[in-house]
Structures are given as C-alpha cells and as structure tokens.
C-alpha cells in the first residue's frame, strides 16, 4: 500500500486543484447567544473532509441527535488529503474523515482509519441501508473490509446553455460528450477541468464509446491507454476546442454566470449556483449517452478516536448521515443523493415540505438511479496514477 501512495507526483501532493480557496466550514450554525451556549454543552465531533458533505446549517442535526459537528474543509486533491491525514497526524484531533473512494484502500489497512463497527448500538439505520451504498467501493476496500459509512454521491457530467445548443430549457434528452470534445458548434466555447482525476476519465469514456479506443478500466488507465487519450486531447486543444482550463469550483460558477462558455464539465451545484443568478432555466446539467463520472463520499473514523471517549457521539453522526433528515436537506440544497433516499422523502412529507419540494426529492432519486445505471465509477487512487498524471501533464503543456 505504501508503494501505491508513493506513486503520486509532488505536483499532486501540493496542488489544490478543486475547491481551492474555499474556507473551512464551521460546524456551529449562526445561533443566538443562548443557542450557542446550549450547543457548547453538546458532545462535539470534529471532522475533516470535502465541504460538499456539510449541511448549510448543522442546527437541524444538533436538534435531532444532540451532537454538534465542526467540519474543516479539505481540498478535493487526494494527494493533499492523504498527506494531511498521514503526515500531520490529524487523527490526534479529528474524529471523522470524509473523502471520495480510494483512500479506504490505503489509509484503512495502514491503520489510520478504524474498522466500522456495524453492530454499534447508535448505528440504527445500517441494516436497512442498501448494499449498493454500504458495500460500495467508497467505504469497503478491495478485500471487503468495511471502513466507512456512505454519505453522498452523484454522477457528474457537464453544464450547458440549452439556448446556445438549440435545446428546450426543460429537455431530458441524453447528450453526447462530443459537445465537450469535438463538436464544431461548441469549439472555442468549452471549459475543461485541469485535474486529470476529474477530467481524463470522461475523455476516455467518450473515445471508448465511439469506438476510437479500447480501454479496460476508464478510471485506471494503462500507460498506453492514457497516451491515446492524451493524444486525442492534445489534438482537440490545438484545434481550439477548449476556451479555458479551470481549476477551482468558484471558477465553474463564474464561467457559467458570466456566460463565458457554452459547455463545462463541472459539479452539479455549479449549475444550481449559476441559475440563482441567471434564472432557473438558464443552464442545465446534462444527461449523457456515454456515461458519467460517478463518485461517492464516505465517512471514516480516525483510528485514534476509538479511545477518545466520544465514540457514541461519532456513531450518532454516522447514523445521521444515513437518516432521512440529512438526505432531504442535502438533496434540496445541493442536488446530491445518497443512501436511504426514501427516508428523505418521508422526512419531507412528515415535516410539511411543499409538494414541489417533495417532488424535487423524488426527482433527485430518479435522476441518480438513471445516471448510476451507466459507467463509470471513479477512484482517487488509481494504480496507474503516475502514468496518467504524466500523460495529463503532456496535454496541459501542449
């Protein structure tokens, strides 16, 4: 496992690619003085990980389970994340780590994550959680060891302006990744993410689907396969397909809001944020013909936390990630799905959400089910990371 980690280049270990510049998200909500004083009496769970897992307001969780959470935002760069966890001994002060698939294969066996106790009395929703989520590669390692609890997931594609592409604003049509890579109608009007872990896979998926390449594992390409993809991208770059290569989440929002591009491979919340400015139907997030960058986040217990005296509170938070309240709030605010989506719908109906909000939750569940039926599942720790990074750098420098 150490050899696998050592394959990451120094650039990966230091580059904060996506989410750069985002501030840490405080766990305490903006409560009044009395509310803050009461919250201070609650057990505290400290977390470190990708901010997309955070609620916009943790107050509902505090009220529901009597535990407060402080989540410090991590870069989406796996090298930076693992460096922080391994090199800085963050488990000495952090209870939960939240990240994408791949880290459990390295940090679990190395003793930095504690094995999940599936029988812990506070993990009451574990048994009713589907195996599609709880036995996924996000929270189990390749040997079948259970290291975490699934939190959220989505299948990423690209944002686009229907009007610019001649499509109806409410179109459910499946679009081709050709709009991103080699469509004359979009040439020079495309923004492409500059991190290989996020952007190289969709290009490989597109080439494979059109019969231009034979790729065994889109998420973990051999050096030869990665070269084919890089050669294609270099050709398209020289042809002027890409207007810009972006690095941060804020740039996704800015490029859409300013209408600087017609198509951008991005996170779904970027489309939502842009539409808050431009109007609800201005941009869309694509259903695709070839497939998606499918990902999930898991929550893992720091090994040191087992003896810290707050394990019950930690498992309460893990169980909350499986609850209907968390699911409903996450889906409403970010568009993400996750385990036990039916409990999210039940929560919304019980708590008087509007018919439109309940319908949106059901639509989110249907959307994710539709997208997850297609390839491919990403990993942050491919075995061929060095070769893929080398070929990606060749593309960036072309």
């Amino acid at each position: 496992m150490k050899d696998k980690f050592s394959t990451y280049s120094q650039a990966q270990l230091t580059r904060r690619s996506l989410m750069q510049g985002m501030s840490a998200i405080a766990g305490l909500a903006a409560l009044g003085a009395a509310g803050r004083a009461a919250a201070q009496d609650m057990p505290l769970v400290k977390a470190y990980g990708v901010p997309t897992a955070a609620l916009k307001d943790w107050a509902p969780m505090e009220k529901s389970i009597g535990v407060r959470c402080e989540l410090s935002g991590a870069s989406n760069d796996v090298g930076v994340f693992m460096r922080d966890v391994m090199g800085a001994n963050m488990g000495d002060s952090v209870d939960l780590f939240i990240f994408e698939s791949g880290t459990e294969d390295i940090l679990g066996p190395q003793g930095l994550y504690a094995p999940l106790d599936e029988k812990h009395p506070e993990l009451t929703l574990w048994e009713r959680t589907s195996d599609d989520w709880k036995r996924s590669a996000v929270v189990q390692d390749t040997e079948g060891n259970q290291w975490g609890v699934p939190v959220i997931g989505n299948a990423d594609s690209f944002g686009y302006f229907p009007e610019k592409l001649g499509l109806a604003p409410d179109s459910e049509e499946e679009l081709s990744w050709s709009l991103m890579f080699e469509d004359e109608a979009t040439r020079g009007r495309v923004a492409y993410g500059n991190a290989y872990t996020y952007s190289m896979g969709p290009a490989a998926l597109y080439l494979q689907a059109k019969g231009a390449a034979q790729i065994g594992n889109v998420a973990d390409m051999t050096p030869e396969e990665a070269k084919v993809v890089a050669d294609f991208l270099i050709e398209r770059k020289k042809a002027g397909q890409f207007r810009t290569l972006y690095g941060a989440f804020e740039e996704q929002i800015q490029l859409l809001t300013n209408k600087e591009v017609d198509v951008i491979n991005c996170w779904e919340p970027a489309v939502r944020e842009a539409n808050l400015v431009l109007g609800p139907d201005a941009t869309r997030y694509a259903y695709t013909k070839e497939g998606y960058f499918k990902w999930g986040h898991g929550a893992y217990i720091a090994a040191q936390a087992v003896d810290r005296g707050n394990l019950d509170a930690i498992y309460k938070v893990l169980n909350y990630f499986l609850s209907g309240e968390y699911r409903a709030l996450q889906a409403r605010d970010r568009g993400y799905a996750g385990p036990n989506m039916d409990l999210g719908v039940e929560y919304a109906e019980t708590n008087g959400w509007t018919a439109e909000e309940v319908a949106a939750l059901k639509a989110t569940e249907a959307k994710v089910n539709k997208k997850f039926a297609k390839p491919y599942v990403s990993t942050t720790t491919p075995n061929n990371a060095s070769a893929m990074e080398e070929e990606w750098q060749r593309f960036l420098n072309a």
Side-chain angles (χ1 to χ4, degrees):
M1 290 297 180
K2 290 181 180 179
D3 289 341
K4 185 176 180 181
F5 178 70
S6 67
T7 63
Y8 286 86
S9 69
Q10 188 63 30
Q12 276 184 285
L13 294 176
T14 57
R15 184 185 68 246
R16 294 184 178 269
S17 53
L18 302 178
M19 304 296 291
Q20 186 176 21
M22 290 194 74
S23 61
I25 297 178
L28 277 175
L31 305 174
R36 286 195 299 270
Q40 292 295 331
D41 295 332
M42 295 179 182
L44 171 65
V45 171
K46 292 185 177 182
Y48 173 74
V50 283
T52 44
L55 294 177
K56 289 188 174 181
D57 182 358
W58 289 105
M61 186 191 78
E62 294 170 5
K63 182 178 179 181
S64 294
I65 66 173
V67 177
R68 59 192 178 100
C69 181
E70 292 178 355
L71 188 143
S72 296
S75 165
N76 199 57
D77 188 317
V78 64
V80 173
F81 175 81
M82 291 201 295
R83 182 198 66 189
D84 289 348
V85 175
M86 299 171 77
N89 297 317
M90 291 189 72
D92 290 344
S93 58
V94 171
D95 302 306
L96 287 176
F97 296 115
I98 303 174
F99 207 73
E100 296 181 48
S101 60
T103 65
E104 77 286 348
D105 282 322
I106 299 174
L107 301 181
Q110 287 193 12
L112 293 159
Y113 292 164
L116 185 75
D117 179 4
E118 300 180 35
K119 300 298 183 182
H120 194 282
E122 296 295 347
L123 200 61
T124 59
L125 296 172
W126 185 251
E127 287 301 320
R128 65 101 60 204
T129 301
S130 74
D131 285 351
D132 288 343
W133 287 98
K134 72 183 182 185
R135 305 302 183 197
S136 72
V138 176
V139 287
Q140 277 193 347
D141 66 19
T142 54
E143 302 298 321
N145 299 304
Q146 191 76 39
W147 295 108
V149 165
V151 179
I152 56 174
N154 204 13
D156 287 2
S157 59
F158 52 87
Y160 65 96
F161 286 85
E163 183 181 4
K164 296 291 186 67
L165 302 184
L167 299 170
D170 58 350
S171 173
E172 298 291 323
E173 178 184 350
E174 289 188 339
L175 305 178
S176 173
W177 279 96
S178 64
L179 290 167
M180 172 72 57
F181 297 117
E182 55 179 357
D183 193 306
E184 281 301 308
T186 60
R187 186 159 63 92
R189 299 289 299 171
V190 173
Y192 193 36
N194 68 5
Y196 91 88
T197 50
Y198 190 68
S199 293
M200 198 172 196
L205 184 71
Y206 170 66
L207 288 176
Q208 180 174 257
K210 68 177 286 191
Q214 296 294 322
I215 298 174
N217 184 352
V218 170
D220 194 359
M221 288 176 272
T222 66
E224 296 77 16
E225 293 167 345
K227 182 180 184 304
V228 170
V229 175
D231 286 344
F232 168 72
L233 290 173
I234 290 170
E235 184 274 322
R236 297 314 303 155
K237 185 179 183 181
K238 291 181 176 179
Q241 184 69 20
F242 308 116
R243 178 181 177 88
T244 186
L245 302 177
Y246 72 84
F249 176 65
E250 293 89 345
E251 290 181 78
Q252 298 177 18
I253 300 171
Q254 181 181 7
L255 287 164
L256 286 168
T257 303
N258 294 344
K259 299 184 178 181
E260 296 179 47
V261 295
D262 297 340
V263 179
I264 175 174
N265 70 318
C266 64
W267 299 358
E268 189 167 3
V271 170
R272 288 171 171 256
E273 291 296 325
N275 284 347
L276 291 177
V277 177
L278 302 175
D281 298 322
T283 64
R284 295 277 291 177
Y285 202 59
Y287 287 109
T288 69
K289 295 178 180 178
E290 298 89 355
Y292 303 85
F293 177 95
K294 298 190 297 188
W295 57 269
H297 290 167
Y300 319 93
I301 302 173
Q304 299 94 313
V306 174
D307 300 318
R308 207 145 35 219
N310 65 336
L311 201 58
D312 285 351
I314 292 171
Y315 272 93
K316 282 184 178 181
V317 173
L318 291 177
N319 196 66
Y320 184 79
F321 288 148
L322 303 175
S323 72
E325 181 174 273
Y326 178 80
R327 188 62 46 232
L329 294 174
Q330 266 284 352
R332 182 188 66 185
D333 295 340
R334 299 187 187 275
Y336 292 154
N340 301 324
M341 197 69 195
D342 61 311
L343 292 182
V345 174
E346 180 181 310
Y347 170 85
E349 292 174 336
T350 302
N351 286 272
W353 287 26
T354 67
E356 290 77 10
E357 289 174 319
V358 173
L361 289 181
K362 294 178 179 179
T364 296
E365 181 178 22
K367 171 195 71 177
V368 172
N369 289 341
K370 176 180 178 179
K371 291 160 94 176
F372 272 37
K374 292 191 174 185
Y376 71 100
V377 179
S378 68
T379 177
T380 58
T381 58
N383 290 315
N384 294 306
S386 291
M388 294 171 68
E389 171 75 3
E390 182 178 347
E391 291 298 331
W392 185 256
Q393 289 299 321
R394 190 163 65 86
F395 159 66
L396 293 180
N397 295 327

